[in-house]
Amino acid sequence: MPSNIMVVGSTNMDMVVNTSHIPVPGETVLADSFFMNPGGKGANQAVTIARLGGTVQFISKVGNDVFGRQASRMFDMEGVNTKHLFSDGELPSGVALITVEKSGENSIVVAPGANANLMPDDLKPAYSDINNSNILLMQLEIPIETVKFLSDYAASKNIRVVLNPAPAVILEDELLKKIDIITPNMIEAELISGIKVNNIEDVKNAAKRIHEKGVKTVIVTVGPLGAVVYNDGEINVVASPKVTPVDTTAAGDVFNGALVVALAENRSVLESTRFACIAASVSVTRKGAQSSIPYRNELMGELFSIESKET
């Protein structure tokens, strides 16, 4: 039986435009299309967990507005437990402005809204449910104060802490020491480690440096190449299936959600990373954030199809 997973993070409404290319400063580009899609890193990861068969509770804060009410209904439909979805009486729900170019790459600007007001004091009603969790998954679209508080709290309760350090910021070593698994992309790994990252060898060195700062397991996502895993003193490269990307929005969130689902099923770190790479590769072949998240039956039979490359 899968373990209980607690996700604490952001809920946004994504406003997406598809363009021929991402504009440079001062340039105006006519969009090919526009649509709105539920998003937010925390929400995307919680929905991923639910669709892939995990048992998930989600702690977040939304505005007392139409986007907040839509998010609540959507979570109910997805099977995400939102007992602790808080409503902010002053700030609006978060929104993200996303530009997707024809290659599938994107540029994102986030207005956090109520997400920026999810503070440690808000979490008091959720303590008992957090205590009953086996894995705590967080990102950085909520206040760093809250991330630090929860990392300390989870460590004191022997709850496994997984941090997706996005958006990229410099993190204190004291926080890193409380993290069991961290999942930066190459940009985030460079910022956290202080090592310039240009290739896979640089990624390996950055992963080692982050581990030296106190994180037990480091998983650096490297886009279509898959992920570099530093665990138990060993470095492995886990390949990702070759696909033609349509939209990379939320690929990292799908990776993280799939990762913790597999970990909750007591799979090894490498097996869990393979599963996460497969799920993320499916998501980039579809448009949108939550609209791109696969279901478990779409991944059946694929978990052991990719062999890791030990180096």
Side-chain angles (χ1 to χ4, degrees):
M1 184 69 181
S3 302
N4 292 326
I5 303 168
M6 179 68 75
V7 178
V8 183
S10 58
T11 299
N12 292 328
M13 178 58 72
D14 292 348
M15 300 183 181
V16 185
V17 291
N18 293 101
T19 67
S20 60
H21 63 279
I22 295 172
V24 299
E27 181 184 14
T28 298
V29 174
L30 294 179
D32 298 322
S33 63
F34 167 79
F35 64 94
M36 293 195 298
N37 190 45
K41 289 188 174 297
N44 295 341
Q45 292 173 18
V47 171
T48 298
I49 294 165
R51 289 190 184 180
L52 296 181
T55 303
V56 59
Q57 284 198 50
F58 182 41
I59 299 176
S60 189
K61 183 175 276 192
V62 296
N64 183 19
D65 52 30
V66 62
F67 291 156
R69 291 187 285 275
Q70 287 177 346
S72 180
R73 290 194 295 270
M74 181 275 298
F75 291 132
D76 288 341
M77 292 172 57
E78 294 285 354
V80 176
N81 185 323
T82 54
K83 176 181 177 182
H84 304 297
L85 181 65
F86 305 114
S87 178
D88 193 300
E90 298 180 4
L91 295 175
S93 296
V95 297
L97 309 178
I98 304 175
T99 302
V100 182
E101 65 177 23
K102 61 183 178 181
S103 71
E105 287 300 322
N106 62 60
S107 176
I108 304 174
V109 177
V110 176
N115 295 304
N117 203 28
L118 180 63
M119 306 305 294
D121 283 348
D122 294 317
L123 304 173
K124 292 178 181 178
Y127 284 171
S128 62
D129 288 317
I130 295 173
N131 294 345
N132 290 327
S133 301
N134 302 95
I135 298 175
L136 172 66
L137 173 60
M138 296 182 290
Q139 323 76 33
L140 299 177
E141 286 185 340
I142 57 175
I144 192 67
E145 177 184 352
T146 303
V147 173
K148 291 177 181 178
F149 172 83
L150 281 169
S151 298
D152 288 337
Y153 185 85
S156 72
K157 302 293 183 180
N158 294 316
I159 299 168
R160 199 176 196 179
V161 179
V162 179
L163 178 65
N164 173 216
V169 297
I170 296 174
L171 298 176
E172 298 173 0
D173 289 359
E174 283 305 308
L175 171 59
L176 295 173
K177 290 173 184 176
K178 302 293 175 60
I179 306 302
D180 294 288
I181 300 175
I182 196 166
T183 60
N185 62 21
M186 293 173 68
I187 295 172
E188 294 150 5
E190 179 177 305
L191 192 59
I192 297 168
S193 68
I195 293 175
K196 188 70 177 176
V197 174
N198 293 310
N199 52 50
I200 290 295
E201 286 304 313
D202 294 338
V203 173
K204 294 175 184 177
N205 291 331
K208 290 179 183 178
R209 178 68 59 82
I210 295 170
H211 169 73
E212 290 167 359
K213 289 175 174 284
V215 183
K216 297 179 180 66
T217 299
V218 182
I219 304 173
V220 183
T221 56
V222 287
L225 298 180
V228 173
V229 181
Y230 186 97
N231 184 54
D232 289 336
E234 294 185 355
I235 286 276
N236 289 274
V237 178
V238 177
S240 184
K242 288 181 169 52
V243 298
T244 301
V246 173
D247 182 356
T248 59
T249 305
D253 298 330
V254 172
F255 180 95
N256 281 273
L259 177 75
V260 296
V261 167
L263 291 170
E265 295 172 352
N266 295 317
R267 299 185 186 275
S268 70
V269 170
L270 283 180
E271 290 170 345
S272 299
T273 303
R274 291 188 194 111
F275 186 62
C277 285
I278 293 165
S281 72
V282 173
S283 75
V284 301
T285 65
R286 304 167 176 176
K287 290 184 178 181
Q290 288 170 28
S291 58
S292 74
I293 298 171
Y295 290 86
R296 181 74 176 224
N297 62 359
E298 296 178 89
L299 309 181
M300 293 303 291
E302 296 292 336
L303 179 56
F304 300 104
S305 66
I306 299 178
E307 296 297 327
S308 64
K309 301 176 182 178
E310 295 190 1
T311 56

